[in-house]
């Protein structure tokens, strides 16, 4: 098949192109892919950076926050001189500097039940790089209802988790955790603390999963939750089976709309 890559692009992606199983065809799939990322903070920063660097053609960022000084221990798309600016514009500026040919859609908004399905309509897959349980479960439910592939990632203190939700092919987040913890029972990120390298690892792994799903390289993290513990420097996995009683993806789902 003919490649549409320029000589500069072939040089930029030279270290990808020589990889076993990669080649021009996988690179072309990345170039044509449309990936939406919820958040451009601790997880979104490394994830977006890796996706742009790998050669994903179209990225959409959904982010409603502005940059605060306390973000900068981990949110590596942003800089000190951009304090107070919207994260979405700062993320766009950093990514565009890395990849001038990157097609970016910047959406300054939160990912909510009202806009979720509309936002997801024209993406091939999406990544939850948010920092709260409500958005994680909303992303899961939107993936199942909208039939969109989702790469879930989350961090808590020194630990992180990663799982792909592929509707119709494997379990969803609610098969493992039926509902988010009640409000007030878990500390927020601000209360709990997080070292930058933990979302750095997990956000990078989310980018790896997205690249694998787009190109077909490797085995996606389906039916298992990867657990990463940075204190012992240890990865483990929990087997996850689709729960026939799951409210989202079970045999008689009760979650039939996003509230
Ligand atoms: Zn489920």
């Amino acid at each position: 098949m003919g490649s549409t890559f320029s000589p500069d692009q072939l040089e930029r992606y030279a270290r990808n192109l020589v990889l076993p199983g990669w080649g021009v065809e996988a690179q072309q799939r990345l170039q044509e892919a449309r990936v939406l990322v919820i958040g451009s903070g601790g997880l979104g920063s490394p994830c977006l950076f890796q996706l742009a660097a790998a050669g994903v053609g179209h990225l959409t960022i959904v982010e409603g926050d502005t940059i605060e000084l306390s973000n900068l221990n981990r949110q590596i798309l942003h800089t000190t001189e951009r304090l107070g600016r919207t994260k979405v514009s700062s993320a766009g500026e950093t990514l565009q500097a890395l990849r001038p040919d990157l097609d970016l859609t910047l959406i300054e908004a939160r990912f909510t039940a009202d806009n979720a399905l509309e936002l997801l309509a024209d993406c091939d897959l999406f990544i939850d790089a948010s920092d709260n349980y409500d958005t994680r479960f909303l992303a899961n439910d939107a993936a199942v209802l909208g039939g969109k592939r989702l790469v879930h990632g989350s961090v808590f203190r020194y630990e992180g988790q990663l799982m792909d939700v592929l509707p119709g092919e494997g379990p969803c987040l609610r098969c493992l955790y039926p509902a988010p913890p009640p409000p007030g029972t878990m500390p927020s990120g601000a209360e709990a603390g997080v070292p930058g390298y933990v979302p750095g690892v997990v956000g990078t792994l989310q980018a790896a999963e997205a690249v694998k799903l787009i190109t077909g390289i490797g085995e996606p993290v389906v039916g298992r939750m990867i657990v990463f513990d940075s204190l012992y420097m240890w990865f483990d996995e929990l087997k996850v089976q689709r729960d026939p009683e799951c409210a989202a993806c079970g045999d008689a789902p009760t979650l039939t709309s996003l509230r």
Side-chain angles (χ1 to χ4, degrees):
M1 65 181 262
S3 152
T4 59
F5 292 115
S6 67
D8 274 359
Q9 285 174 315
L10 291 173
E11 186 175 345
R12 176 184 289 268
Y13 303 123
R15 299 296 185 280
N16 293 347
L17 293 166
V18 296
L19 283 166
W22 197 301
V24 170
E25 210 167 311
Q27 198 65 47
Q28 191 74 42
R29 286 200 194 106
L30 288 174
Q31 176 66 30
E32 287 162 11
R34 309 185 69 89
V35 177
L36 179 143
V37 180
I38 304 170
S40 59
L43 291 167
S45 285
C47 184
L48 284 159
F49 215 108
Q50 292 288 350
L51 292 172
V56 171
H58 311 266
L59 288 173
T60 299
I61 308 172
V62 184
E63 168 70 79
D65 286 346
T66 55
I67 304 165
E68 296 174 21
L69 193 52
S70 63
N71 299 150
L72 298 185
N73 81 321
R74 64 199 183 283
Q75 302 189 12
I76 57 174
L77 284 177
H78 313 303
T79 64
T80 304
E81 70 170 12
R82 297 184 198 155
L83 288 175
R85 270 181 55 182
T86 64
K87 286 187 191 174
V88 79
S89 72
S90 166
E93 196 173 311
T94 302
L95 296 171
Q96 210 79 70
L98 173 70
R99 270 269 311 284
D101 71 326
L102 175 64
D103 185 25
L104 263 176
T105 303
L106 303 176
I107 296 176
E108 191 189 341
R110 294 186 179 283
F111 185 83
T112 67
D114 292 328
N115 64 18
L117 293 177
E118 194 184 333
L119 286 170
L120 294 179
D122 75 339
C123 73
D124 299 312
L125 62 88
F126 72 115
I127 293 175
D128 175 22
S130 70
D131 63 354
N132 64 84
Y133 289 100
D134 285 347
T135 308
R136 278 172 211 150
F137 279 80
L138 176 63
N140 178 78
D141 299 345
V144 174
L145 282 177
K148 290 285 178 181
R149 297 177 295 174
L150 162 67
V151 181
H152 162 81
S154 64
V155 296
F156 184 74
R157 293 187 172 134
Y158 295 100
E159 296 175 16
Q161 296 193 334
L162 174 81
M163 185 170 96
D164 299 343
V165 175
L166 308 188
E169 293 179 50
C172 80
L173 204 57
R174 283 189 194 267
C175 295
L176 182 60
Y177 307 115
T185 57
M186 290 292 284
S188 69
E191 293 158 347
V194 61
Y197 48 77
V198 172
V201 168
V202 175
T204 299
L205 295 179
Q206 288 181 287
E209 285 306 302
V211 168
K212 287 165 58 186
L213 290 170
I214 293 162
T215 60
I217 294 167
E219 290 293 325
V221 183
V222 182
R224 51 201 176 109
M225 174 74 85
I226 303 295
V227 180
F228 167 58
D229 178 346
S230 70
L231 290 178
Y232 292 94
M233 207 48 83
W234 173 73
F235 284 91
D236 199 2
E237 66 175 38
L238 299 169
K239 295 291 179 199
V240 185
Q241 290 191 321
R242 194 181 72 90
D243 177 2
E245 313 263 296
C246 175
C249 78
D251 295 338
T254 53
L255 255 166
T256 52
S257 70
L258 301 175
R259 278 152 306 179

Short mmCIF file of all heavy atoms in Angstrom, two decimals, residues 95-127:
data_model
loop_
_atom_site.label_atom_id
_atom_site.label_comp_id
_atom_site.label_asym_id
_atom_site.label_seq_id
_atom_site.Cartn_x
_atom_site.Cartn_y
_atom_site.Cartn_z
N LEU A 95 1.68 20.57 22.81
CA LEU A 95 1.58 19.47 21.85
C LEU A 95 1.82 19.95 20.42
O LEU A 95 2.46 19.26 19.63
CB LEU A 95 0.21 18.80 21.95
CG LEU A 95 -0.08 18.12 23.30
CD1 LEU A 95 -1.53 17.69 23.38
CD2 LEU A 95 0.86 16.93 23.52
N GLN A 96 1.35 21.16 20.14
CA GLN A 96 1.54 21.69 18.80
C GLN A 96 3.03 22.01 18.55
O GLN A 96 3.52 21.87 17.43
CB GLN A 96 0.70 22.95 18.61
CG GLN A 96 0.23 23.17 17.19
CD GLN A 96 -0.96 22.31 16.80
OE1 GLN A 96 -2.07 22.54 17.28
NE2 GLN A 96 -0.75 21.33 15.94
N ALA A 97 3.75 22.39 19.63
CA ALA A 97 5.19 22.64 19.49
C ALA A 97 5.94 21.34 19.19
O ALA A 97 6.91 21.31 18.42
CB ALA A 97 5.74 23.28 20.77
N LEU A 98 5.46 20.25 19.80
CA LEU A 98 6.07 18.94 19.54
C LEU A 98 5.74 18.46 18.14
O LEU A 98 6.60 17.91 17.44
CB LEU A 98 5.55 17.94 20.58
CG LEU A 98 5.93 16.47 20.38
CD1 LEU A 98 7.42 16.26 20.65
CD2 LEU A 98 5.11 15.58 21.31
N ARG A 99 4.50 18.66 17.73
CA ARG A 99 3.99 18.11 16.46
C ARG A 99 3.21 19.18 15.72
O ARG A 99 1.98 19.25 15.82
CB ARG A 99 3.03 16.96 16.76
CG ARG A 99 3.60 15.57 16.86
CD ARG A 99 3.63 14.78 15.56
NE ARG A 99 2.41 14.76 14.78
CZ ARG A 99 1.33 14.02 15.07
NH1 ARG A 99 1.30 13.22 16.08
NH2 ARG A 99 0.27 14.07 14.29
N PRO A 100 3.85 20.04 14.94
CA PRO A 100 3.12 21.10 14.24
C PRO A 100 2.01 20.58 13.34
O PRO A 100 1.02 21.29 13.11
CB PRO A 100 4.22 21.80 13.43
CG PRO A 100 5.48 21.52 14.19
CD PRO A 100 5.31 20.14 14.76
N ASP A 101 2.11 19.35 12.85
CA ASP A 101 1.07 18.83 11.94
C ASP A 101 -0.07 18.15 12.69
O ASP A 101 -1.00 17.63 12.07
CB ASP A 101 1.70 17.82 10.96
CG ASP A 101 2.09 16.51 11.65
OD1 ASP A 101 2.51 16.56 12.84
OD2 ASP A 101 1.98 15.44 11.04
N LEU A 102 -0.03 18.15 14.02
CA LEU A 102 -1.07 17.48 14.80
C LEU A 102 -2.40 18.21 14.63
O LEU A 102 -2.47 19.43 14.76
CB LEU A 102 -0.66 17.48 16.28
CG LEU A 102 -1.65 16.94 17.30
CD1 LEU A 102 -1.92 15.46 17.07
CD2 LEU A 102 -1.11 17.16 18.72
N ASP A 103 -3.46 17.47 14.36
CA ASP A 103 -4.80 18.03 14.27
C ASP A 103 -5.43 17.95 15.66
O ASP A 103 -5.66 16.86 16.18
CB ASP A 103 -5.61 17.22 13.24
CG ASP A 103 -6.97 17.83 13.00
OD1 ASP A 103 -7.13 19.04 13.23
OD2 ASP A 103 -7.88 17.09 12.59
N LEU A 104 -5.65 19.11 16.28
CA LEU A 104 -6.09 19.18 17.66
C LEU A 104 -7.47 19.81 17.76
O LEU A 104 -7.73 20.83 17.11
CB LEU A 104 -5.15 20.10 18.44
CG LEU A 104 -4.00 19.52 19.25
CD1 LEU A 104 -3.19 20.69 19.82
CD2 LEU A 104 -4.51 18.64 20.37
N THR A 105 -8.32 19.23 18.59
CA THR A 105 -9.58 19.88 18.94
C THR A 105 -9.55 20.14 20.45
O THR A 105 -9.41 19.20 21.23
CB THR A 105 -10.79 18.99 18.58
OG1 THR A 105 -10.72 18.68 17.18
CG2 THR A 105 -12.10 19.71 18.87
N LEU A 106 -9.61 21.41 20.83
CA LEU A 106 -9.51 21.78 22.24
C LEU A 106 -10.90 22.16 22.74
O LEU A 106 -11.51 23.10 22.22
CB LEU A 106 -8.54 22.95 22.41
CG LEU A 106 -7.14 22.72 21.88
CD1 LEU A 106 -6.29 23.99 22.02
CD2 LEU A 106 -6.47 21.55 22.59
N ILE A 107 -11.40 21.44 23.72
CA ILE A 107 -12.74 21.70 24.25
C ILE A 107 -12.61 22.10 25.71
O ILE A 107 -12.26 21.29 26.56
CB ILE A 107 -13.64 20.47 24.07
CG1 ILE A 107 -13.80 20.21 22.56
CG2 ILE A 107 -14.99 20.68 24.73
CD1 ILE A 107 -14.58 18.97 22.22
N GLU A 108 -12.88 23.39 25.98
CA GLU A 108 -12.78 23.88 27.35
C GLU A 108 -14.10 23.62 28.05
O GLU A 108 -15.01 24.44 28.04
CB GLU A 108 -12.44 25.38 27.36
CG GLU A 108 -12.07 25.85 28.75
CD GLU A 108 -11.93 27.36 28.84
OE1 GLU A 108 -11.75 28.02 27.80
OE2 GLU A 108 -12.01 27.86 29.98
N ALA A 109 -14.22 22.44 28.61
CA ALA A 109 -15.46 22.03 29.28
C ALA A 109 -15.16 20.81 30.11
O ALA A 109 -14.14 20.14 29.91
CB ALA A 109 -16.52 21.69 28.23
N ARG A 110 -16.05 20.52 31.03
CA ARG A 110 -15.97 19.25 31.74
C ARG A 110 -16.69 18.18 30.94
O ARG A 110 -17.57 18.48 30.16
CB ARG A 110 -16.62 19.38 33.12
CG ARG A 110 -15.88 20.33 34.02
CD ARG A 110 -16.42 20.38 35.43
NE ARG A 110 -15.61 21.31 36.19
CZ ARG A 110 -14.40 21.03 36.66
NH1 ARG A 110 -13.88 19.82 36.48
NH2 ARG A 110 -13.69 21.94 37.30
N PHE A 111 -16.29 16.94 31.15
CA PHE A 111 -16.96 15.79 30.53
C PHE A 111 -18.15 15.45 31.43
O PHE A 111 -17.97 15.06 32.59
CB PHE A 111 -15.96 14.63 30.47
CG PHE A 111 -16.46 13.41 29.74
CD1 PHE A 111 -16.39 13.32 28.36
CD2 PHE A 111 -16.95 12.31 30.45
CE1 PHE A 111 -16.82 12.19 27.69
CE2 PHE A 111 -17.37 11.17 29.80
CZ PHE A 111 -17.30 11.11 28.42
N THR A 112 -19.38 15.65 30.94
CA THR A 112 -20.56 15.48 31.78
C THR A 112 -21.55 14.54 31.10
O THR A 112 -21.42 14.20 29.93
CB THR A 112 -21.29 16.83 31.99
OG1 THR A 112 -21.82 17.26 30.73
CG2 THR A 112 -20.35 17.90 32.54
N ALA A 113 -22.57 14.17 31.88
CA ALA A 113 -23.63 13.30 31.33
C ALA A 113 -24.31 13.97 30.15
O ALA A 113 -24.81 13.30 29.25
CB ALA A 113 -24.64 12.96 32.43
N ASP A 114 -24.34 15.31 30.13
CA ASP A 114 -25.03 16.02 29.05
C ASP A 114 -24.24 16.03 27.75
O ASP A 114 -24.82 16.03 26.68
CB ASP A 114 -25.33 17.46 29.47
CG ASP A 114 -26.36 17.51 30.58
OD1 ASP A 114 -27.23 16.63 30.60
OD2 ASP A 114 -26.26 18.41 31.44
N ASN A 115 -22.90 16.10 27.85
CA ASN A 115 -22.13 16.24 26.59
C ASN A 115 -21.37 14.97 26.20
O ASN A 115 -20.78 14.89 25.12
CB ASN A 115 -21.16 17.44 26.66
CG ASN A 115 -20.08 17.28 27.74
OD1 ASN A 115 -19.82 16.19 28.22
ND2 ASN A 115 -19.43 18.38 28.10
N ALA A 116 -21.37 13.94 27.08
CA ALA A 116 -20.49 12.78 26.90
C ALA A 116 -20.68 12.09 25.53
O ALA A 116 -19.72 11.94 24.77
CB ALA A 116 -20.70 11.77 28.02
N LEU A 117 -21.90 11.70 25.24
CA LEU A 117 -22.11 10.89 24.03
C LEU A 117 -21.86 11.71 22.76
O LEU A 117 -21.35 11.19 21.77
CB LEU A 117 -23.52 10.28 24.03
CG LEU A 117 -23.73 9.23 25.14
CD1 LEU A 117 -25.17 8.72 25.13
CD2 LEU A 117 -22.76 8.06 24.99
N GLU A 118 -22.19 13.00 22.83
CA GLU A 118 -21.93 13.88 21.69
C GLU A 118 -20.41 14.02 21.46
O GLU A 118 -19.93 13.96 20.33
CB GLU A 118 -22.56 15.24 21.96
CG GLU A 118 -22.67 16.13 20.75
CD GLU A 118 -23.22 17.51 21.12
OE1 GLU A 118 -23.96 17.62 22.14
OE2 GLU A 118 -22.88 18.46 20.42
N LEU A 119 -19.67 14.21 22.56
CA LEU A 119 -18.21 14.35 22.44
C LEU A 119 -17.58 13.08 21.86
O LEU A 119 -16.61 13.15 21.11
CB LEU A 119 -17.59 14.64 23.81
CG LEU A 119 -17.80 16.05 24.36
CD1 LEU A 119 -17.34 16.13 25.82
CD2 LEU A 119 -17.05 17.07 23.51
N LEU A 120 -18.13 11.93 22.24
CA LEU A 120 -17.51 10.66 21.84
C LEU A 120 -17.90 10.25 20.42
O LEU A 120 -17.29 9.34 19.85
CB LEU A 120 -17.93 9.55 22.80
CG LEU A 120 -17.41 9.69 24.23
CD1 LEU A 120 -17.91 8.53 25.09
CD2 LEU A 120 -15.89 9.75 24.24
N ALA A 121 -18.89 10.93 19.85
CA ALA A 121 -19.49 10.44 18.60
C ALA A 121 -18.45 10.18 17.51
O ALA A 121 -18.51 9.16 16.83
CB ALA A 121 -20.55 11.40 18.12
N ASP A 122 -17.49 11.08 17.32
CA ASP A 122 -16.61 10.87 16.16
C ASP A 122 -15.18 10.48 16.56
O ASP A 122 -14.25 10.63 15.77
CB ASP A 122 -16.63 12.07 15.20
CG ASP A 122 -15.86 13.25 15.75
OD1 ASP A 122 -15.67 13.28 16.99
OD2 ASP A 122 -15.44 14.12 14.96
N CYS A 123 -15.01 9.94 17.79
CA CYS A 123 -13.66 9.43 18.12
C CYS A 123 -13.63 7.91 17.96
O CYS A 123 -14.66 7.24 18.04
CB CYS A 123 -13.23 9.84 19.53
SG CYS A 123 -14.07 8.98 20.85
N ASP A 124 -12.45 7.36 17.69
CA ASP A 124 -12.29 5.91 17.56
C ASP A 124 -12.20 5.25 18.92
O ASP A 124 -12.67 4.14 19.13
CB ASP A 124 -11.03 5.59 16.75
CG ASP A 124 -11.10 6.16 15.36
OD1 ASP A 124 -12.13 5.96 14.70
OD2 ASP A 124 -10.13 6.81 14.93
N LEU A 125 -11.54 5.92 19.83
CA LEU A 125 -11.47 5.45 21.20
C LEU A 125 -11.19 6.63 22.10
O LEU A 125 -10.79 7.69 21.62
CB LEU A 125 -10.43 4.34 21.37
CG LEU A 125 -8.97 4.66 21.10
CD1 LEU A 125 -8.28 5.20 22.33
CD2 LEU A 125 -8.24 3.39 20.65
N PHE A 126 -11.39 6.45 23.41
CA PHE A 126 -11.12 7.57 24.31
C PHE A 126 -10.42 7.11 25.57
O PHE A 126 -10.39 5.91 25.89
CB PHE A 126 -12.38 8.38 24.59
CG PHE A 126 -13.42 7.74 25.48
CD1 PHE A 126 -13.72 8.28 26.72
CD2 PHE A 126 -14.14 6.62 25.07
CE1 PHE A 126 -14.70 7.72 27.54
CE2 PHE A 126 -15.12 6.06 25.87
CZ PHE A 126 -15.40 6.61 27.11
N ILE A 127 -9.84 8.07 26.24
CA ILE A 127 -9.00 7.79 27.40
C ILE A 127 -9.52 8.60 28.58
O ILE A 127 -9.73 9.82 28.47
CB ILE A 127 -7.54 8.17 27.09
CG1 ILE A 127 -7.04 7.22 26.00
CG2 ILE A 127 -6.68 8.13 28.35
CD1 ILE A 127 -5.67 7.52 25.49
#
